[in-house]
Amino acid sequence: MDVAYICEWDRKPRTSHCPSIPLVCAWSCRNLIAFTTDQRNEDEDLTHMIHILDTEHPWDVYSINSGHQEVITSLEWDQSGSRLLSADADGVIKCWGMTDHLANSWQSLVGSEVDGDPIVALSWLHNGVKLALHVEKSGVSSFGEKFSRVKFSPSLTLFGGKPMEGWIAVTVSGLVTVSLLKPNGQVLTATESLCRLRCRVALADIAFTGGGNIVVATCDGSSTSPIQFYKVCVSVVSEKCKIDTEILPSLFMRCTTDPARKDKFPAVTHLKFLARDMSEQVLLCASNQCSSVAECWSLRKEGLPLNNIFQQLSPGVSDKQPMILKWRILSATNELERVSAVALPKLPISLTNTDIKVANDTKFYPGLGLALAFHDGNVHIVHRLSLQTMAVLFGSSMRQSEEPSLKRQRSPTPCVHFKALQMSWTSLALVGLDTQGKLSMLRVSPSMGHALDMTTSLRHLLFLLEYCMVTGYDWWDILLHVQPNMVHNLVEKLHEEYTKQNAALQQVLSTRILSMKASLCKLSPSTITRVCDYHAKLFLISISCTLKSLLRPPVLNTPDKSPGDRLTEICNKFPDTDIDKVMINLKTEEFVLDTLTLQSLQQLIQWIGDFVLYLLASLPNQGSSFRPGHSFLRDGASLGTLRELMVMIRIWGLLKLSCLPVYTATSDTQDSMSLLFRLLTRLWMCCRDENHPCEPDEALIDECCLLPSQFLIPNMDWLPLGNGLISRLQSKLPLRLQFGKPPGAPSHASVQYEAYTRSPTQPKIDHLRRLHLGTCPTEPSKSCTRCGCVTMLKSPNKAIAVKQWEQRWIKTCLCGGLWRKMPHMYS
């Protein structure tokens, strides 16, 4: 475990940020982090702030004046990572959502409140989606066996079984409140007491059962009091929310029943279920002023022994022994330093009691450990069931990397430690907020601190990359552990596992694996130019899907295949080099579109024409793998797609001449499209059979050599490298950052590649609309947090076809990354 980067506030302005008490943070599946601070102005007034950032650009923090009058006690992301709940010590709950789908622009949508009753626990209702990771099957090929859908009922369902959205909260006076979001935007709220005898609730947590019920654990803060559990059922009756509660078996902590330690740990400081969907296992921490003890408990079904008298009266009873639920302690720690924060894993690994033995084995998997932060500044990763220490980060090593030796003199002030701690969704990273308000990003080794060979480490990373591919979660925290020498093997293995899946699943994951390969290739100088190719392939796939979706059969009684499918079939069936001969075999009436639609698509059509010309002109230099576009020269599927699109564009050119791509040619009589189609078809014929590709013949290469003398070869506008952090975090030395101030340009050699260089006077371009914005754009723009793609916030187009294209990336980038708003001018 080591520190990747540290981000802190600027100390100069008088309006300063100070850690709130309690300080809370939350980490979403899209790798967005939300945390709180209190902002103090010159009059010493406090404003309760919520800050949201993405882990790739932590300096670009979006700070919200939350409007909460009291300190914020809870933050919770929803399952999609796009909405955030905040609750305070006055009983007010607010739901925040992105403005225009921007990760650095948020607004309050709806909310609820319990007047004057502080919220101690908060959670979204479960949507019924649970995917189990089968670690023991990580070596099998099928994703369906590695990651299986678990039968899990939503907390509440609408008509047709659709899960109803909403949240549940527990207050300090023992009330449970549920708010349901109706499809029309209204909020249904109900409040009920957890039990008839209400008492103070100092700590609480919420979990869900597979049957659709909710389990609430509460404690009054004293270790001599029982930890109470309640079952909560939510329903809608006559358009009103109804809550039913039931008392479940309770427990007393082991440390209070031990005579030697009966009064040693008077306060319960942490109460957590091991997972939101694992209500049978709970972690407890009891503390005094200096030390703590942690205990892990499990709820089991046990047989209830019967007296011999009853067994004689009813001989058959012994065969059907009554069962009861009872809490049993799984493990407990020795006396530890005082615990200041706890972070639990989010990976849904199914655990049984036999899994305790894993901690003694040599096989360690991410997700089996939880994190404990202590008041001395240290952080421990311990096994989630046996509580055995697996990895340690010493606070002294962090402080030495942060401050010069002159500043680290003897001081009576308390040690800097983490007040809030959160694990990423793959358990490979930790974020901590300390008593000085600094945010620290920590790497957690896939082997949980144990030395593993390269093959095993790669297998762990590959398993988690596949998990993110299937779930759609962001994989930034996995990239923290990828070294340049791992990139090639990971990309090859990922592609190999992908090709073993069935055709339907491959189609679903086709764009996601391209995004994953692109982000991996960014981490190594030897593969960085392939990033351009993967993004170009994503763009090509999207254009192909959009243009083919515009095709409509002329009559209603159509055959099974769509016009787009028939276009693919005809182009594969007739490998003619003459574009007109291929076009004759198609029903051209299926390609008829109005002229305004064709004209509005000209920018996308122009990109296809330019890209084909660029690829063919670069064929003589195919020996250089550092040239962008190199992988397309051996990609039969992509070349076939380009060939289909050229045939489609040729037909549209008969309807609207101005929609054709424009070439700057030396001869006015030359049919440019026919020439390029003929060369493209010959290149496609060389690699259409993936199992038996052949080299392009000398005649084809000679003809491609002549293209620069026949055409002006366009400069392709590849995506810039961007100013993200992930390619700079491979060093073991932590990066020092400051909120609100972007770091300087990276100094590594990869920026010298021609494809990425950008001069200040070079015109900027909208990468998705393919519109030139000028040298100093005035239009507000947004960029992708993952790939750096830039596009305008507002659409300048009115055409329906263009709106259909823009709808493909209105919520996320084509690569799946989130959008963030940029300044008017970008470099």
Side-chain angles (χ1 to χ4, degrees):
M1 195 164 39
D2 61 276
V3 184
Y5 63 75
I6 299 169
C7 204
E8 57 188 332
W9 298 101
D10 188 1
R11 299 290 181 182
K12 293 180 182 178
R14 293 188 178 182
T15 303
S16 59
H17 290 277
C18 56
S20 57
I21 300 174
L23 191 150
V24 289
C25 69
W27 194 326
S28 81
C29 62
R30 308 301 303 274
N31 280 323
L32 294 177
I33 293 175
F35 64 98
T36 59
T37 65
D38 291 337
Q39 191 173 30
R40 182 183 290 111
N41 59 18
E42 296 178 357
D43 299 328
E44 296 297 315
D45 295 328
L46 288 181
T47 303
H48 304 293
M49 307 291 293
I50 298 175
H51 308 282
I52 300 176
L53 55 86
D54 74 274
T55 52
E56 178 74 341
H57 306 86
W59 62 87
D60 185 18
V61 63
Y62 184 75
S63 300
I64 309 169
N65 182 346
S66 67
H68 286 289
Q69 300 302 312
E70 297 292 335
V71 65
I72 299 170
T73 57
S74 297
L75 291 175
E76 283 290 328
W77 290 101
D78 71 345
Q79 288 90 345
S80 66
S82 58
R83 287 177 301 177
L84 178 71
L85 288 177
S86 63
D88 66 14
D90 198 27
V92 176
I93 301 173
K94 294 187 177 185
C95 176
W96 304 86
M98 293 184 190
T99 306
D100 298 326
H101 309 289
L102 297 171
N104 57 354
S105 181
W106 295 77
Q107 63 180 353
S108 179
L109 303 174
V110 291
S112 64
E113 62 179 300
V114 186
D115 290 338
D117 208 349
I119 304 296
V120 293
L122 179 68
S123 174
W124 289 88
L125 296 179
H126 205 286
N127 61 0
V129 177
K130 182 180 179 182
L131 199 70
L133 276 80
H134 301 285
V135 175
E136 71 282 1
K137 296 182 179 179
S138 60
V140 302
S141 58
S142 172
F143 287 171
E145 294 184 43
K146 295 179 184 179
F147 321 108
S148 64
R149 180 77 177 264
V150 178
K151 188 177 181 181
F152 207 90
S153 299
S155 304
L156 189 63
T157 54
L158 294 165
F159 178 78
K162 182 181 178 181
M164 192 168 190
E165 296 182 321
W167 57 81
I168 178 173
V170 180
T171 71
V172 76
S173 67
L175 293 178
V176 57
T177 177
V178 175
S179 298
L180 305 177
L181 300 178
K182 296 180 69 175
N184 60 5
Q186 294 180 344
V187 180
L188 288 179
T189 300
T191 303
E192 189 65 55
S193 175
L194 280 171
C195 62
R196 292 181 181 178
L197 185 61
R198 286 172 61 185
C199 58
R200 176 178 179 270
V201 175
L203 300 171
D205 200 17
I206 301 167
F208 302 91
T209 67
N213 295 321
I214 304 167
V215 178
V216 175
T218 65
C219 174
D220 64 4
S222 172
S223 61
T224 58
S225 301
I227 311 296
Q228 301 279 5
F229 295 87
Y230 305 92
K231 182 171 76 172
V232 179
C233 302
V234 183
S235 58
V236 176
V237 180
S238 302
E239 292 296 317
K240 291 185 178 180
C241 181
K242 182 184 177 184
I243 302 173
D244 296 307
T245 62
E246 177 186 334
I247 298 177
L248 296 176
S250 59
L251 66 90
F252 283 91
M253 289 193 69
R254 174 64 60 86
C255 62
T256 61
T257 60
D258 183 357
R261 300 189 298 175
K262 185 176 181 180
D263 301 319
K264 190 168 185 180
F265 304 100
V268 178
T269 52
H270 297 87
L271 164 61
K272 296 284 186 183
F273 287 107
L274 287 189
R276 277 277 189 247
D277 48 14
M278 192 181 295
S279 59
E280 302 85 13
Q281 292 168 343
V282 67
L283 176 76
L284 301 168
C285 282
S287 308
N288 54 33
Q289 291 295 323
C290 302
S291 57
S292 298
V293 64
E295 298 178 0
C296 183
W297 290 74
S298 177
L299 185 65
R300 306 178 187 175
K301 280 186 177 180
E302 294 186 358
L304 184 65
L306 290 178
N307 192 287
N308 292 333
I309 296 176
F310 295 103
Q311 292 181 7
Q312 293 171 4
L313 292 175
S314 304
V317 172
S318 59
D319 299 332
K320 298 179 181 179
Q321 189 179 22
M323 306 294 287
I324 61 168
L325 291 172
K326 196 168 185 178
W327 286 98
R328 292 287 187 184
I329 190 167
L330 288 179
S331 56
T333 64
N334 296 322
E335 188 172 339
L336 304 168
E337 179 70 25
R338 182 176 169 85
V339 175
S340 61
V342 176
L344 296 170
K346 300 180 179 71
L347 271 180
I349 297 177
S350 299
L351 290 178
T352 61
N353 297 332
T354 57
D355 290 313
I356 297 177
K357 298 176 182 178
V358 176
N360 301 318
D361 203 350
T362 56
K363 296 180 180 179
F364 293 87
Y365 294 98
L368 289 183
L370 56 89
L372 300 176
F374 299 96
H375 276 256
D376 61 0
N378 296 341
V379 179
H380 288 200
I381 302 292
V382 300
H383 191 271
R384 60 197 291 184
L385 292 184
S386 68
L387 300 181
Q388 294 181 11
T389 301
M390 303 163 72
V392 178
L393 177 71
F394 294 102
S396 57
S397 62
M398 292 179 61
R399 291 191 293 275
Q400 287 174 7
S401 64
E402 292 178 28
E403 301 178 1
S405 57
L406 291 176
K407 293 185 179 181
R408 288 186 280 106
Q409 298 175 354
R410 289 189 298 273
S411 174
T413 57
C415 182
V416 176
H417 60 271
F418 290 124
K419 295 177 64 179
L421 207 61
Q422 277 281 316
M423 265 191 174
S424 71
W425 281 65
T426 61
S427 301
L428 291 185
L430 270 173
V431 65
L433 292 153
D434 62 27
T435 50
Q436 295 181 350
K438 294 195 298 291
L439 182 146
S440 299
M441 180 63 64
L442 314 178
R443 291 187 192 87
V444 180
S445 169
S447 60
M448 293 298 170
H450 290 73
L452 294 180
D453 58 275
M454 178 70 77
T455 305
T456 309
S457 297
L458 283 173
R459 191 168 67 244
H460 286 179
L461 296 176
L462 179 65
F463 184 60
L464 293 175
L465 284 171
E466 293 168 350
Y467 171 69
C468 290
M469 195 194 308
V470 171
T471 57
Y473 294 162
D474 191 75
W475 53 87
W476 179 90
D477 45 332
I478 304 176
L479 302 181
L480 280 176
H481 300 269
V482 179
Q483 295 296 318
N485 60 343
M486 299 181 181
V487 170
H488 180 74
N489 287 336
L490 271 178
V491 171
E492 293 297 320
K493 286 286 185 183
L494 199 62
H495 181 77
E496 182 182 330
E497 294 298 319
Y498 168 78
T499 54
K500 293 178 183 177
Q501 312 310 311
N502 58 62
L505 185 58
Q506 284 190 36
Q507 187 173 2
V508 170
L509 303 178
S510 59
T511 56
R512 206 170 289 163
I513 189 173
L514 288 175
S515 304
M516 199 169 276
K517 288 178 179 178
S519 55
L520 284 169
C521 288
K522 246 180 195 177
L523 305 178
S524 172
S526 61
T527 57
I528 198 163
T529 49
R530 292 167 62 182
V531 177
C532 301
D533 294 12
Y534 290 127
H535 284 299
K537 194 172 294 186
L538 278 173
F539 196 66
L540 175 61
I541 291 172
S542 299
I543 290 180
S544 175
C545 292
T546 301
L547 297 187
K548 287 181 179 179
S549 67
L550 297 174
L551 306 181
R552 295 290 183 270
V555 291
L556 294 178
N557 54 343
T558 57
D560 295 336
K561 291 183 179 178
S562 65
D565 293 335
R566 279 199 296 278
L567 172 65
T568 302
E569 184 181 16
I570 293 297
C571 287
N572 288 329
K573 186 177 180 181
F574 296 95
D576 292 278
T577 57
D578 189 338
I579 191 170
D580 294 323
K581 287 184 179 179
V582 178
M583 190 174 63
I584 290 173
N585 296 285
L586 293 166
K587 298 178 181 178
T588 53
E589 62 270 16
E590 295 180 340
F591 295 81
V592 175
L593 297 177
D594 62 274
T595 55
L596 290 177
T597 299
L598 292 175
Q599 186 63 46
S600 65
L601 297 171
Q602 208 279 331
Q603 283 86 4
L604 302 182
I605 293 173
Q606 184 66 47
W607 182 86
I608 295 167
D610 288 346
F611 192 62
V612 170
L613 178 56
Y614 171 84
L615 287 180
L616 293 172
S618 63
L619 181 62
N621 299 321
Q622 58 179 314
S624 172
S625 61
F626 293 101
R627 187 179 178 89
H630 169 76
S631 65
F632 277 89
L633 303 176
R634 293 291 183 272
D635 187 351
S638 296
L639 295 176
T641 302
L642 287 169
R643 189 168 173 268
E644 295 166 19
L645 294 177
M646 288 195 73
V647 172
M648 191 188 305
I649 294 168
R650 180 73 163 195
I651 298 174
W652 286 345
L654 301 176
L655 303 173
K656 181 74 173 177
L657 187 63
S658 59
C659 80
L660 290 173
V662 178
Y663 297 102
T664 306
T666 55
S667 173
D668 296 335
T669 60
Q670 180 175 262
D671 187 346
S672 302
M673 283 202 72
S674 295
L675 172 62
L676 295 178
F677 183 83
R678 178 167 58 83
L679 298 177
L680 180 65
T681 302
R682 291 170 62 185
L683 179 60
W684 170 68
M685 290 290 291
C686 296
C687 52
R688 63 182 297 192
D689 185 358
E690 294 182 2
N691 298 323
H692 302 89
C694 59
E695 292 296 320
D697 55 72
E698 293 293 334
L700 174 59
I701 294 177
D702 290 343
E703 287 194 63
C704 290
C705 285
L706 296 175
L707 288 177
S709 62
Q710 296 171 310
F711 298 93
L712 178 65
I713 307 302
N715 289 323
M716 300 304 297
D717 288 287
W718 307 103
L719 290 184
L721 249 182
N723 60 348
L725 288 182
I726 195 64
S727 57
R728 314 185 207 183
L729 297 178
Q730 293 164 349
S731 168
K732 294 300 180 182
L733 295 176
L735 209 59
R736 301 284 302 189
L737 304 168
Q738 195 173 93
F739 291 119
K741 292 185 179 180
S747 57
H748 50 74
S750 57
V751 296
Q752 302 302 323
Y753 287 115
E754 182 182 354
Y756 294 112
T757 55
R758 291 288 186 276
S759 64
T761 58
Q762 185 174 351
K764 311 301 187 296
I765 190 171
D766 185 321
H767 292 119
L768 294 180
R769 294 185 180 91
R770 310 311 301 180
L771 296 174
H772 290 274
L773 305 178
T775 306
C776 299
T778 57
E779 286 291 321
S781 302
K782 58 185 179 181
S783 70
C784 175
T785 58
R786 185 185 290 165
C787 68
C789 176
V790 174
T791 186
M792 287 185 290
L793 267 177
K794 295 180 180 179
S795 171
N797 301 296
K798 304 292 183 183
I800 296 176
V802 178
K803 288 183 178 179
Q804 181 182 343
W805 164 248
E806 292 174 348
Q807 284 296 317
R808 285 186 162 269
W809 37 265
I810 190 169
K811 291 185 178 180
T812 59
C813 178
L814 293 178
C815 72
L818 293 171
W819 294 115
R820 64 189 186 105
K821 189 176 181 179
M822 296 182 64
H824 288 346
M825 297 175 62
Y826 67 93
S827 56

